[in-house]
Amino acid sequence: MVFWEGYVSDEVMGTFAPIVVYWLYAGFYQLLPSLDKYRLHTKEEDKEKNLVPFGAVVKGVLLQQLVQAIVALFLLTTTSNTPEATVQPSIPKQVFQIIAAMLVMDTWQYFVHRYMHQNKFLYRHIHSQHHRLVVPYAIGALYNHPLEGLLLDTVGGAISFLASGMTSRTAVTFFCFAVVKTVDDHCGLWLPGNIFHLFFQNNTAYHDIHHQLQGLKYNYSQPFFPLWDMLLGTYMPFTLVKRPEGGLEARPAKD
């Protein structure tokens, strides 16, 4: 029993809930007070280094989410059983399916992401759009070239869903969690008590290293675990140091 039962289908919820969650969670970060002592970059760096205006970022994210919604709704409705035939698995099985989906998504995104850095044409014409945000912030988490958004996120999500065997109802939980994790990785803040910083080594500072010039060829893993970086030699650990003017800085700990 879930709160939306009887109001909207699991398929519709799985399509639109991640979009709503994205804007709620990213909006929460956007509306926070300055919190300068927890910022990984100064406001001046934000203005000087980022190469795309905020309005264009919002439009880019909305475009990607439109494509994702169309694909997700088609996928969930064509793979679901009739309501009478749908049997929700046990909680342990759902947890297993979500973990399996996390590993599949990580695998897909690592290799596609890494190839987009290694292929000069793809980086110059597609992936570099995401790196125009040198100083990441929450609302820009899904700011990508439309083709990258389709290939990396939409197709990756579809493969994860199909490979795990999860139901549309379980997919609501998985995709909302994936969205929250992705937004948090780009929030640019190292807040005390953040559970993602406590339980995930692949976190805000870890991904911030990748957005820095010296980290462009490292820390490709996203959004959950640094497994493939560690296995394939692209892992760059970080240290957090306090800036004299206030705030924090994520610095590579690799020579």
Side-chain angles (χ1 to χ4, degrees), residues 131-142:
H131 281 277
R132 293 178 71 189
L133 292 180
V134 179
V135 178
Y137 54 85
I139 284 179
L142 290 183

Side-chain angles (χ1 to χ4, degrees), residues 11-70:
E11 292 75 29
V12 171
M13 197 68 178
T15 299
F16 295 104
I19 296 174
V20 173
V21 168
Y22 181 94
W23 289 104
L24 287 176
Y25 195 58
F28 161 76
Y29 273 118
Q30 193 69 26
L31 294 174
L32 281 176
S34 59
L35 298 175
D36 288 344
K37 64 180 179 179
Y38 301 119
R39 291 176 63 93
L40 297 180
H41 296 272
T42 65
K43 293 179 180 178
E44 288 70 25
E45 285 181 297
D46 189 335
K47 295 176 182 178
E48 294 172 2
K49 294 184 177 181
N50 284 343
L51 305 174
V52 57
F54 181 77
V57 171
V58 172
K59 291 178 183 177
V61 172
L62 288 172
L63 175 60
Q64 175 166 330
Q65 289 177 329
L66 174 63
V67 175
Q68 284 181 329
I70 294 170

Side-chain angles (χ1 to χ4, degrees), residues 3-19:
F3 71 87
W4 64 82
E5 191 166 359
Y7 298 97
V8 295
S9 67
D10 293 339
E11 292 75 29
V12 171
M13 197 68 178
T15 299
F16 295 104
I19 296 174

Side-chain angles (χ1 to χ4, degrees), residues 170-243:
T170 306
V172 176
T173 300
F174 170 65
F175 286 122
C176 286
F177 179 68
V179 160
V180 169
K181 178 66 170 61
T182 301
V183 169
D184 207 87
D185 288 348
H186 290 81
C187 72
L189 293 169
W190 192 263
L191 296 176
N194 186 323
I195 59 171
F196 293 113
H197 300 165
L198 297 174
F199 294 104
F200 288 90
Q201 197 171 357
N202 185 348
N203 51 42
T204 308
Y206 186 87
H207 193 66
D208 185 79
I209 293 293
H210 176 70
H211 275 259
Q212 299 176 22
L213 182 60
Q214 64 268 43
L216 274 178
K217 305 231 180 252
Y218 297 92
N219 295 8
Y220 298 116
S221 292
Q222 56 185 60
F224 301 111
F225 309 112
L227 175 65
W228 289 109
D229 278 323
M230 290 179 168
L231 289 176
L232 298 179
T234 55
Y235 174 71
M236 180 178 280
F238 63 87
T239 57
L240 284 172
V241 297
K242 289 187 177 181
R243 291 193 303 263

